[in-house]
């Protein structure tokens, strides 16, 4: 592991300032992803900014009737919060589907949103990867791609976003709140927060170099039956081949978002309008323009069948 400097900060503004001041700086909170990447030589930050002292570890109610989740809220605490369990059960189910209990005890809201892909070529420093080393190429395009994207990829990258929490948050229309070194703040809808790879797979989200996530906001509860189904190669501690987040109302309307299919949580709002017509109609719209490889073409019918199972009342 390369040597690095380290500092603790007391405010979000200090953290953003430290990011802007030192090129190559990274935020560390739970460290459940970053430390692994540093050990493997994939991430090599010059400076670590410890944000555990910021106090952003609360879940608060908003004036609009939703919830504001601090960036340092641990995944275990989020999933166990009585308000989230009652009004946003989709989020609880998605969080509990991820990682292990020990990791959820450490992992934070902001860190979860920013976790890196688990594409095997991203993790293999002997192989070309445009996400890890821009301009080097994408070994996945001609390699093993079973776990990788069927839609939203490009000739530069077909890696998938690996998380569960963000898939549920995408279905719930969450927004990410940030602060910059100059004190300016903004709210970024989650559908705009993540970037598709295009020609710049290394640019994964909308954050500026000196910008820090402070909160995630959830709108007022939308009700309905909420289900998160995750299909993976083993029952625990595995990333999704396909995951499906569904909010369904008694009149047949609803929302659906997918994980494991694209470089970001995948939702096509126009597909929501087809919920009453069934899984085939939804997935036909949601995955229009899909470009799967021979290795991962199975994901498309798998996503449809997973959604069909939920819509027929058997999903959990």
């Amino acid at each position: 592991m390369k040597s690095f400097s380290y500092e603790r900060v007391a405010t979000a503004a200090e953290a953003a300032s430290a990011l802007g001041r030192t090129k190559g700086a990274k935020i560390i909170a739970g460290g459940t992803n970053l430390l692994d990447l540093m050990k493997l030589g994939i991430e090599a930050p010059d400076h670590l900014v410890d944000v555990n002292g910021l106090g952003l570890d609360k879940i608060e109610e908003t004036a609009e009737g939703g919830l504001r989740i601090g960036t340092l809220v641990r995944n275990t605490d989020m999933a166990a919060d009585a308000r989230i369990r009652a009004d946003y059960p989709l989020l609880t189910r998605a969080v509990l589907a991820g990682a292990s209990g020990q990791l959820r005890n450490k992992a934070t809201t902001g860190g979860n949103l920013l976790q890196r892909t688990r594409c095997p070529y991203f993790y293999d420093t002997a192989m070309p990867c445009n996400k890890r080393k821009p301009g080097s190429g994408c070994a996945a395009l001609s390699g093993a791609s079973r776990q990788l994207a069927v839609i939203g990829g490009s000739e530069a990258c077909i890696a998938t976003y690996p998380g569960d929490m963000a898939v549920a948050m995408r279905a719930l229309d969450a927004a990410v709140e940030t602060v910059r070194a100059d004190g300016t703040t903004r709210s970024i809808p989650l559908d705009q927060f993540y970037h598709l790879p295009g020609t710049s797979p290394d640019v994964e989200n909308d954050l500026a170099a000196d910008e820090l996530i402070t909160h995630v906001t959830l709108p007022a509860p939308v009700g309905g039956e909420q289900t998160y189904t995750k299909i993976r190669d083993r029952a625990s501690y595995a990333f999704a081949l396909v995951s499906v987040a569904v909010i369904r109302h008694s009149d047949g309307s609803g929302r659906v978002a997918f994980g494991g299919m694209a470089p970001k949580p995948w939702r096509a709002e126009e597909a929501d309008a087809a919920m009453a017509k069934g899984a085939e109609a939804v997935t036909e719209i949601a995955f229009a323009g899909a470009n799967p490889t021979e290795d991962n073409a199975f994901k498309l019918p798998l996503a449809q069948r997973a959604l069909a199972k939920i819509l027929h009342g058997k999903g959990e």
Side-chain angles (χ1 to χ4, degrees):
M1 186 185 293
K2 159 186 166 178
S3 61
F4 55 87
S5 54
Y6 168 89
E7 71 174 301
R8 293 179 180 174
V9 292
T11 69
E14 286 180 24
S17 178
L19 288 175
R21 183 176 64 248
T22 307
K23 186 177 180 180
K26 290 284 185 179
I27 293 292
I28 187 164
T32 57
N33 189 205
L34 178 61
L35 292 179
D36 283 344
L37 294 174
M38 290 172 66
K39 291 172 184 177
L40 293 169
I42 297 165
E43 292 273 17
D46 295 310
H47 187 63
L48 290 185
V49 182
D50 188 331
V51 296
N52 283 293
L54 300 190
L56 297 173
D57 57 354
K58 305 291 189 300
I59 301 175
E60 303 166 315
E61 296 175 8
T62 68
E64 296 72 28
L67 292 177
R68 192 169 185 240
I69 304 169
T71 191
L72 293 175
V73 172
R74 307 293 162 167
N75 287 182
T76 295
D77 295 330
M78 180 195 298
D81 185 274
R83 295 161 295 183
I84 289 178
R85 292 177 65 185
D87 295 329
Y88 308 91
L90 175 60
L91 184 54
T92 288
R93 291 173 177 175
V95 171
L96 293 178
S100 66
Q102 294 93 332
L103 285 172
R104 291 194 297 269
N105 288 342
K106 290 291 291 181
T108 62
T109 301
N112 193 307
L113 292 175
L114 296 175
Q115 63 184 298
R116 309 296 303 277
T117 184
R118 266 61 177 191
C119 174
Y121 300 104
F122 175 75
Y123 270 77
D124 185 349
T125 55
M127 301 297 290
C129 171
N130 288 317
K131 189 177 286 292
R132 175 171 28 83
K133 186 178 179 182
S136 63
C138 176
L141 292 173
S142 58
S145 55
R146 181 172 180 271
Q147 294 271 356
L148 303 181
V150 299
I151 194 167
S154 70
E155 288 300 310
C157 180
I158 56 171
T160 47
Y161 175 79
D164 296 287
M165 184 186 80
V167 179
M169 287 184 168
R170 180 68 184 90
L172 292 165
D173 285 333
V176 176
E177 294 184 8
T178 69
V179 65
R180 296 192 65 171
D182 63 2
T184 58
T185 62
R186 61 174 176 152
S187 177
I188 312 168
L190 198 65
D191 66 315
Q192 298 173 24
F193 180 74
Y194 293 108
H195 290 189
L196 293 176
T199 58
S200 304
D202 56 310
V203 182
E204 297 177 342
N205 56 63
D206 206 45
L207 292 178
D210 66 343
E211 196 166 15
L212 174 77
I213 295 175
T214 58
H215 298 85
V216 174
T217 54
L218 300 175
V222 296
E225 179 184 343
Q226 301 185 17
T227 302
Y228 187 79
T229 292
K230 181 176 182 178
I231 301 171
R232 44 190 163 177
D233 285 328
R234 57 180 185 268
S236 66
Y237 202 65
F239 297 96
L241 289 169
V242 171
S243 65
V244 188
V246 174
I247 301 170
R248 183 171 53 157
H249 301 287
S250 57
D251 62 0
S253 65
R255 305 175 184 177
V256 60
F258 297 89
M261 304 293 284
K264 65 178 186 177
W266 194 255
R267 179 180 171 203
E269 274 81 353
E270 57 270 28
D272 294 348
M275 285 278 285
K277 298 179 181 179
E280 184 175 355
V282 171
T283 53
E284 182 177 346
I285 297 170
F287 300 117
N291 185 30
T293 68
E294 184 177 345
D295 283 353
N296 65 23
F298 73 93
K299 286 189 173 190
L300 292 169
L302 184 60
Q304 181 181 316
R305 291 168 189 166
L307 178 58
K309 183 177 179 181
I310 294 170
L311 297 183
H312 285 93
K314 299 177 182 179
E316 187 58 50

